[in-house]
Amino acid sequence: KTFMLTVTGDHAWKLSQTIPSDCVTDGKLIYVCENDETHTKTIVNPFDLKKGHNLVLSEKDSDIANGKLVFNCANCDHSERIDAIKFEVKVTPATCTTTGERYVEYTYVDKADNNTEKSDRKTLEILPKTMTHKFGAHSIVVDGTKAYTMSELKTIFGDNLDGYTPIVNAPATCLEEGHGFFDCTDCGETFMLDVEGDCDFTDWTVIDGYERRTCKVCGKVEVGDVFVDVGTEGKITYFAVVDGELRAFDDLNALKKDNGKYPDKYVYNTETEISDLKTQAGNYQFVGWYLDAECSVKFDGTIDENQRGELVLYAAILDLNNYKYWTPNF
């Protein structure tokens, strides 16, 4: 028997349109299905929520002397009017955990209540949370035995340390974190910062031509720049690669007799030129110097002054008498 199985898959959604928020409406993200664009879905953009009106007193539109106040939104054409015999714009700052508010407190005459003076307030703008804590005067304690300077503490904790009294008897090490304790002056919450310490290295010493230093705590070794004196030499070793076959360089009969002796050493911190080989005319062709036996890494003929250690050079040579001579990987 033959059976038919119907499988329903999920939509393959892709972002089609981003609609920004305004004062009273959240921003939206519109998605369409890649397989069928008649299927759409719209979600609120969590990173672009409505911001509320930003009402600003318009001196142009207001008659302040007669208590006629007009507030226009700085972001849209919304406008509100207040009748007041006196008023004051105030601000409640935002904190790390609460929104702030810019508002107007005013006094007005309630004609419906025998012209009684009454007070009210109106929100002009909601100020978003600062999302950062403020740290006032407070002691910092870090476990250990060493005292920090204020500049060292600022390096660790940032620029909000003005007013701190560093009671520090503890640096962190590379193996163990230290801890800083402090209070936020906005919300009152106490925080603890884990402080990662650095290695405590010895002075640089030269071992086998290299600068080295060792952490006194964890034993980590760092190798710095190569430290050598001008005049120290490195060894040069030569090979030939004839039609892909590795050959001893000194016994190579493909070379002309007037090549001379190629240098077997070079001097550190000094550029050294390696000339091209001269091969027997009509029999062999010198292709170039390489740094590997596969002749894939070209050597440009100059030993750099920063070269260190043994240098091995491979001369790529074609045997022109061989009708299937080799082609190097240059």
Side-chain angles (χ1 to χ4, degrees):
K1 294 182 179 180
T2 301
F3 297 90
M4 183 178 70
L5 178 65
T6 301
V7 179
T8 302
D10 294 329
H11 290 289
W13 298 113
K14 67 176 181 180
L15 182 63
S16 172
Q17 185 180 3
T18 299
I19 301 176
S21 66
D22 55 27
C23 295
V24 296
T25 307
D26 294 327
K28 292 181 174 57
L29 301 174
I30 299 178
Y31 292 84
V32 299
C33 178
E34 291 183 330
N35 301 320
D36 183 355
E37 293 192 356
T38 62
H39 291 276
T40 65
K41 69 174 180 179
T42 302
I43 66 172
V44 171
N45 186 347
F47 302 103
D48 187 23
L49 302 178
K50 60 185 178 183
K51 299 172 178 61
H53 292 298
N54 177 11
L55 295 174
V56 180
L57 179 65
S58 172
E59 295 184 2
K60 176 183 176 182
D61 299 328
S62 299
D63 183 1
I64 297 176
N66 293 310
K68 307 298 183 183
L69 308 181
V70 177
F71 293 88
N72 296 327
C73 180
N75 302 318
C76 69
D77 58 2
H78 180 75
S79 182
E80 296 189 16
R81 174 176 170 170
I82 297 175
D83 293 328
I85 56 176
K86 59 182 179 180
F87 72 96
E88 182 179 2
V89 176
K90 297 183 177 181
V91 175
T92 300
T95 71
C96 47
T97 56
T98 60
T99 58
E101 181 186 20
R102 189 168 57 83
Y103 60 96
V104 57
E105 286 185 347
Y106 61 95
T107 302
Y108 66 99
V109 175
D110 188 349
K111 296 180 180 179
D113 190 11
N114 297 320
N115 293 325
T116 303
E117 289 189 5
K118 295 183 179 181
S119 298
D120 204 349
R121 71 194 305 278
K122 182 169 188 58
T123 298
L124 302 177
E125 181 185 12
I126 297 298
L127 306 176
K129 298 176 185 179
T130 62
M131 304 305 291
T132 55
H133 294 281
K134 284 186 191 173
F135 306 126
H138 189 279
S139 298
I140 290 191
V141 179
V142 182
D143 301 333
T145 57
K146 175 186 172 184
Y148 282 113
T149 66
M150 183 61 73
S151 61
E152 288 174 329
L153 284 175
K154 285 191 174 184
T155 299
I156 298 171
F157 292 99
D159 296 328
N160 294 322
L161 281 171
D162 294 337
Y164 276 79
T165 303
I167 306 175
V168 180
N169 56 6
T173 70
C174 50
L175 294 179
E176 185 174 357
E177 291 180 334
H179 304 290
F181 301 92
F182 49 94
D183 296 328
C184 176
T185 57
D186 274 350
C187 64
E189 187 172 351
T190 299
F191 294 86
M192 181 179 76
L193 268 187
D194 291 332
V195 184
E196 294 183 357
D198 296 323
C199 287
D200 182 12
F201 285 104
T202 61
D203 294 334
W204 288 103
T205 57
V206 180
I207 302 174
D208 296 331
Y210 290 87
E211 288 181 325
R212 300 175 187 269
R213 64 178 183 173
T214 304
C215 177
K216 302 172 186 176
V217 179
C218 67
K220 176 183 177 181
V221 176
E222 282 193 352
V223 179
D225 296 333
V226 176
F227 185 87
V228 293
D229 293 325
V230 174
T232 303
E233 297 176 331
K235 180 182 179 182
I236 308 177
T237 301
Y238 299 92
F239 289 95
V241 181
V242 182
D243 285 354
E245 179 185 352
L246 189 64
R247 303 273 293 276
F249 185 77
D250 291 339
D251 298 333
L252 191 63
N253 60 11
L255 304 182
K256 283 191 174 181
K257 301 300 182 184
D258 58 354
N259 273 292
K261 181 68 174 177
Y262 272 76
D264 58 1
K265 294 180 181 179
Y266 68 95
V267 179
Y268 290 174
N269 301 329
T270 303
E271 286 191 352
T272 304
E273 299 292 333
I274 303 296
S275 60
D276 289 349
L277 285 178
K278 297 177 182 178
T279 54
Q280 293 182 16
N283 295 330
Y284 298 95
Q285 178 184 337
F286 173 69
V287 178
W289 290 109
Y290 290 84
L291 297 173
D292 60 330
E294 291 75 26
C295 297
S296 60
V297 182
K298 185 81 172 178
F299 172 68
D300 64 5
T302 301
I303 302 176
D304 187 85
E305 61 182 12
N306 296 316
Q307 173 71 37
R308 298 294 183 266
E310 181 181 10
L311 176 65
V312 181
L313 295 177
Y314 298 85
I317 298 173
L318 299 181
D319 182 354
L320 301 181
N321 294 327
N322 185 351
Y323 70 94
K324 290 185 179 179
Y325 58 79
W326 162 74
T327 300
N329 301 314
F330 47 76

